[in-house]
Amino acid sequence: MLDIQLLRQDWETVQKALARRGGTIDWSRFETLEAERKALQAETQTLQAQRNRLSKAVGQCKAKGEDASELLREVAEVKAALERNETRLNALLAELDAFLAQLPNVPHPLVPDGASDADNLEVSRWGTPRSFDFPVRDHVEIAEGLGGLENEIAAALSGSRFALLRGDVARLHRALAQFMLDVHTREHGYEEVAPPFLVLPRTLFGTGQLPKFAEDLFQVPRSDAESLYLIPTAEVPVTNIVRDRILDEADLPLKFVAWTPCFRAEAGSHGRDVRGLIRQHQFEKVELVRIEHPDCSYDALEALTAHAEAILIKLGLPYRKVKLCAGDLGFSAAMTYDLEVWLPAQNTYREISSCSNTEAFQARRMQARFRPAGGGKPQPVHTLNGSGLAVGRTLVAVLENYQQADGSVVVPEALRPWMGGQEVLEPRARR
């Protein structure tokens, strides 16, 4: 959530910054609400001064033994007016909060201009895409040949956009997640977290998924209590660890990593990536979350992104790093790097990780703050998150980049200790 004081002091600058994202915002609504708030608060101050003056006069009148009934009637009228103003002011502030809750984060000045992913800025590339001397198969054909993907059974169980993995493919999927967790905890200093997969609405509000993106979530109604939601990413419960807390500055930074399933309705992606494991209702991610001092958060973004890149490098998967333009930023992000892995069957790079600094945007929604070491008023922390990596898409990349002409798949050398030393996944027909 944006700082309401920033809007009040210089909303035109905020308006120009948010215009870089595209879309439309009803700023006239903000102006109307603010104008009424100012008028109401000015009237309230006048009424309070009048009440104080009348109360003093009542006291003087009684001290003299004079009739104060008329003054008491005026006091009652002023009190009633103040109560009406308080009710209306509370309603106005609620409307302003609702308006603020719909506003996305302000892009960092170094975020490039642009309207879509076509305008994203490539920062670097690592690795050289492999040249094949045989027809390249996509991950679905490879996994089915390994006896490891059952699309028809998954559809019978749950409908479209679900997968059933079996045998070596299921084992490879699990090994990838465990490999990522171990690298991030042992080499990068993150603390492993096993969070709930169901959360309350206020938890999703804290990280910005509600109210704006309700249609992308799976809601679990309960007859006897508040509805729960399946998490769309571990970012939601893990970032909310610091909700409603005031940390000591010495506690920062906090670095968390979690491996969870993620559930997304994919409401706006009809017809996209319907084949295979790229875009599903249920998938798994290893998520990195950092809680940082505001002075350190952009150095932390570079570090977090490098930690996600390290997984791709260890697996030998070619990728590119891009800085998202303003029009392609996520709702909560002030700056984002996407990592895109090379997929031979698509002959292109596809997103496998988004690493974002939300600055104080989520912290204000969560009331997550820290107390400066030198004293003073608590300040919002900065929160960051990134996939380290999306497990299903990493599985896709390994299957396609390490495929062999005979239908087998070589296990990346770095991953073999998590596969019990297994070096090759053999086709079902050869077992």
Side-chain angles (χ1 to χ4, degrees):
M1 184 175 290
L2 300 181
D3 184 353
I4 185 65
Q5 296 305 325
L6 179 62
L7 268 72
R8 287 170 177 164
Q9 294 164 9
D10 193 6
W11 76 269
E12 290 183 350
T13 298
V14 177
Q15 181 182 20
K16 290 176 182 177
L18 291 182
R20 297 178 62 207
R21 285 177 165 270
T24 57
I25 296 171
D26 184 8
W27 289 105
S28 64
R29 180 62 178 157
F30 176 72
E31 290 180 283
T32 299
L33 291 171
E34 269 295 282
E36 186 178 354
R37 179 192 65 83
K38 290 178 181 178
L40 200 59
Q41 288 184 331
E43 182 184 338
T44 297
Q45 289 175 351
T46 300
L47 288 169
Q48 287 171 337
Q50 185 179 354
R51 179 190 60 189
N52 293 340
R53 178 179 57 80
L54 288 169
S55 296
K56 184 178 179 180
V58 168
Q60 292 172 342
C61 192
K62 287 183 175 180
K64 295 176 182 178
E66 299 174 354
D67 182 11
S69 57
E70 181 61 25
L71 289 172
L72 289 171
R73 183 188 63 78
E74 291 184 48
V75 169
E77 289 177 354
V78 171
K79 181 181 178 182
L82 282 170
E83 289 175 350
R84 289 194 298 270
N85 280 13
E86 182 180 6
T87 299
R88 178 55 188 153
L89 183 59
N90 288 337
L92 272 176
L93 293 176
E95 290 183 65
L96 280 166
D97 283 344
F99 176 84
L100 277 178
Q102 295 289 342
L103 294 181
N105 204 352
V106 172
H108 188 279
L110 294 180
V111 169
D113 289 332
S116 70
D117 57 3
D119 302 311
N120 292 341
L121 177 66
E122 183 173 312
V123 176
S124 62
R125 294 192 183 201
W126 182 91
T128 302
R130 175 183 166 193
S131 296
F132 292 85
D133 57 5
F134 58 88
V136 174
R137 304 175 181 88
D138 72 8
H139 70 278
V140 175
E141 186 178 355
I142 296 166
E144 289 177 342
L146 295 170
L149 179 61
E150 300 279 7
N151 281 322
E152 290 185 5
I153 293 177
L157 292 172
S158 305
S160 63
R161 294 188 187 269
F162 289 92
L164 180 83
L165 304 181
R166 298 180 62 172
D168 281 346
V169 175
R171 187 184 190 194
L172 180 62
H173 184 265
R174 171 170 55 86
L176 283 166
Q178 293 176 325
F179 164 70
M180 294 174 195
L181 277 178
D182 287 346
V183 169
H184 291 313
T185 55
R186 296 173 184 175
E187 299 181 22
H188 300 152
Y190 289 82
E191 177 186 352
E192 186 171 348
V193 176
F197 303 156
L198 289 159
V199 295
L200 293 164
R202 62 178 174 271
T203 307
L204 287 151
F205 177 84
T207 45
Q209 281 77 17
L210 285 180
K212 190 172 180 61
F213 302 106
E215 67 174 5
D216 291 323
L217 303 170
F218 286 107
Q219 186 177 6
V220 183
R222 295 184 292 172
S223 60
D224 60 340
E226 189 175 13
S227 290
L228 293 171
Y229 289 83
L230 290 165
I231 60 170
T233 165
E235 169 200 344
V236 175
V238 176
T239 308
N240 273 273
I241 287 173
V242 295
R243 187 182 71 198
D244 296 325
R245 290 178 61 188
I246 299 178
L247 305 169
D248 290 331
E249 184 175 342
D251 294 333
L252 301 176
L254 298 175
K255 298 165 58 177
F256 302 119
V257 60
W259 167 26
T260 70
C262 306
F263 305 90
R264 298 185 185 176
E266 298 290 357
S269 61
H270 300 295
R272 297 176 59 194
D273 297 312
V274 294
R275 177 176 168 81
L277 304 174
I278 296 293
R279 190 179 298 275
Q280 297 196 307
H281 292 313
Q282 176 186 316
F283 59 98
E284 294 181 20
K285 272 201 308 173
V286 171
E287 187 76 3
L288 305 174
V289 170
R290 296 177 69 128
I291 313 299
E292 294 280 347
H293 190 287
D295 294 344
C296 305
S297 67
Y298 277 95
D299 288 339
L301 176 61
E302 299 297 328
L304 184 149
T305 307
H307 294 154
E309 291 179 78
I311 301 297
L312 292 166
I313 292 170
K314 287 176 182 291
L315 293 174
L317 296 172
Y319 71 92
R320 69 173 193 154
K321 174 181 173 181
V322 300
K323 181 183 286 186
L324 267 56
C325 70
D328 200 31
L329 283 176
F331 179 76
S332 297
M335 181 184 287
T336 297
Y337 291 114
D338 268 9
L339 303 180
E340 300 177 350
V341 69
W342 178 256
L343 296 184
Q346 297 188 17
N347 196 38
T348 192
Y349 292 94
R350 293 297 302 270
E351 179 204 333
I352 198 168
S353 174
S354 282
C355 301
S356 300
N357 186 353
T358 76
E359 297 184 355
F361 186 83
Q362 292 178 331
R364 287 195 191 93
R365 298 170 78 101
M366 296 186 299
Q367 290 296 298
R369 294 168 291 169
F370 74 97
R371 183 176 288 103
K377 184 179 178 181
Q379 302 174 26
V381 296
H382 280 195
T383 63
L384 300 90
N385 64 82
S387 304
L389 304 162
V391 181
R393 293 194 180 194
T394 309
L395 176 66
V396 169
V398 168
L399 292 176
E400 292 195 5
N401 282 278
Y402 283 91
Q403 63 180 296
Q404 306 299 304
D406 63 358
S408 64
V409 174
V410 174
V411 176
E413 186 173 351
L415 193 60
R416 291 173 190 172
W418 286 265
M419 289 287 290
Q422 186 174 353
E423 298 182 3
V424 178
L425 309 186
E426 296 287 354
R428 178 169 44 189
R430 288 171 45 182
R431 292 183 213 150

